[in-house]
Amino acid sequence: MEDSMPYSAIEDVQLLSWENAPKYCLQLTFPGGTVLLQAANSYLRDQWFHSLQWKKKIYKYKKVLSNPNRWEVVLKEIRSLVDMALTSPLQDDSIHQAPLEIVSKLLSESINLTTQEHESIIVAIAPLLENNHPPPDLCEFFCKHCRERPRSMVVIEVFTPVVQRILKHNMDFGKCPRLRLFTQEYILALNELNAGMEVVKKFIHSMHGPTANCPHPRVLPNLVAVCLAAIYSCYEEFINSRDNSPSLKEIRNGCQQQCDRKPNIPLRLLHTNPDLVSQEVTSADSRHKTVIVTSNEVHVEVERNNTVNQKLKANTGNDSEPNLIDCLLISPACSTMSIELSPQAERVLECYVEILKILSDYDDWRPALASLLQPIPFPKEALAHETFTKELKYVIQRFAEDPRQEVHSCLLSVRAGKDGWFQLYSPGGVACDDDGELFASMVRVCNNVHILMGSCYKTKKFLLSLAENKLGPCMLLALRGNQTMVEILCLMLEYNIIENNDTQLQIISTLESTDVGKRMYEQLCDRQRELKELQRKGGPTRLTLPSKSTDADLARLLSSGSFGNLENLSLAFTNVTSACAEQLIKLPSLKQLNLWSTQFGDAGLRVLSEHLTTLQVLNLCETPVTDAGLLALSSMKSLCSLNMNSTKLSADTYEDLKAKLPNLKEVDVRYTEAW
């Protein structure tokens, strides 16, 4: 039925039931006569009947509630409208949405209602909200009620199931921003209760459920979206003033606030050349000039070294814009920054950062939470705010302590060329306030198994990145006896990451300055001597391990003799795993390696590809390797024979390997997707 039909003119709708009446007919009575409608079957006739009845009643309620006179009548009509929607036999979303929209329009036009009247209306429409999202105007009304009466029982009894339904369902807050705002205001209202964050914590626990795994996959992404929006709103005043702020290039080049700019703007970011950090620390007799820039929003106090200023000016030839973390990397000796939020914004920030902490405490939510936060989805003003980064440190610490690779790997950048939490909380980063303790904990050993190191640390690419960007902080922490940083420096020496002789000598001096460093450096020297001795003595050229040999058996065998000339090693049908790669990379002459039917996996392939670049023959038949590990073989340019029979090789990876391995002559891909 078309909406343009004059339903107000229909006086009555009847089902024809008299004898000899036309089959499946409706009779519509108008002031000027009657109309018969004949349907094809009884089901369609009943649908017409109930639809016309519903349309007629909806028109009546719209007319009555559009001109409210007495409050008692209005409330009675709203309750009657709700009952009609709940008892209607029609199954359609509009059956419940139409009454909500009528009440929403009434509330938006009635500005003189008392608080008691507000609550009575909310209680009256509560049954409709059990299975329906409130429309935008109604969300705005709910937000107002949460702000003005956060301790009202309506918030707990009526709004809680509505918010739970919003969080449990697929929700595009981009298209429905008022639903997100309503959820945000509801959580803030819970925080205003006597128990405060304890109530919020119980609410989040109710959303997660009592089991180890939350049964509702949309709860976490929706909660994180609400938290991010709330945190963003705390800095909105500063963000809106960006057009009047110095550009990132001006900030990097040390430009000061220009006189032709508007006066009341916040100076948020400062940039320092990392090469100057050591010079600033060592120049004890240098004179500092203090500059104070004050606005009604932000107070920035800067101590700038005159020599640093000159070098910053010398770098102005580079016109490229620095990235976010690059701008925020400020030496503590150079500057301090504080952003002052309003008391209300401080409360909002405290509440929602605390929620992120609570979310990070759930084991099943932590991988998804780490993935959502990996791109650093916060405004740069938040990252420059000491209070925010200090409180968020708990969340990052939880990620760093988690033994699962999918969690702690999210501390690294989301893509090449973009910094991540690892860089932000490293010494010299704006978020670092603990002399690198969190940075060290990101790579700290747990039960003699490297957590972060196990996934990416022992790759030359990662060590090169540390050597280029964080060598100074690593040496400082090693100088203070941090064992993890001592290991890093030893690995840099062992893998020849540092080419400059003076830098190598400085690292050696740093290692020898502490007991733990001296001990580990001596062990490194012993290993290097053993390797040279191994190469000098020679040994067999071919070796086959007995079946069912383990990683420990291989390590014991290789440590018992000289294998500097070993060119062909067969580990077929043994029980070795990826862990034995640490022993295999110590064989400098190895050219043929047989791993047929072993448990050697992707992690081991990545280690081999970094070190055994002269390997010519590799047998991976019936091993658990996948595309993730096989792609790493593209760096082994000397490979001429490769057996990937009965592995999880895909056709795309096979084509990629063929294109990147020019010397590959023999390939076995039987019983794979590429076959």
Side-chain angles (χ1 to χ4, degrees), residues 576-581 584 593 595 598-605 608 620 623-625:
V576 298
T577 66
S578 296
C580 75
L584 298 178
L593 178 61
L595 295 169
T598 64
Q599 294 303 309
F600 198 88
D602 294 337
L605 283 185
L608 294 185
L620 298 172
T623 57
V625 295

Side-chain angles (χ1 to χ4, degrees), residues 412-448:
L412 303 174
S413 59
V414 69
R415 64 177 182 273
K418 180 178 174 62
D419 291 327
W421 295 111
F422 188 83
Q423 286 79 14
L424 187 64
Y425 279 93
S426 63
V430 70
C432 182
D433 61 351
D434 55 5
D435 294 329
E437 291 181 10
L438 177 58
F439 174 73
S441 71
M442 291 181 188
V443 290
R444 183 171 297 157
V445 293
C446 178
N447 295 326
N448 296 325

Side-chain angles (χ1 to χ4, degrees), residues 475-491:
M475 291 175 63
L476 179 61
L477 290 171
L479 194 62
R480 295 173 179 174
N482 186 283
Q483 184 172 346
T484 304
M485 296 306 156
V486 169
E487 288 189 29
I488 292 174
L489 297 183
C490 288
L491 285 172

Side-chain angles (χ1 to χ4, degrees), residues 658-673:
K658 286 198 300 183
K660 294 181 178 179
L661 296 175
N663 296 320
L664 198 60
K665 301 293 190 301
E666 299 178 3
V667 185
D668 188 348
V669 294
R670 289 174 296 171
Y671 308 107
T672 67
E673 182 185 313

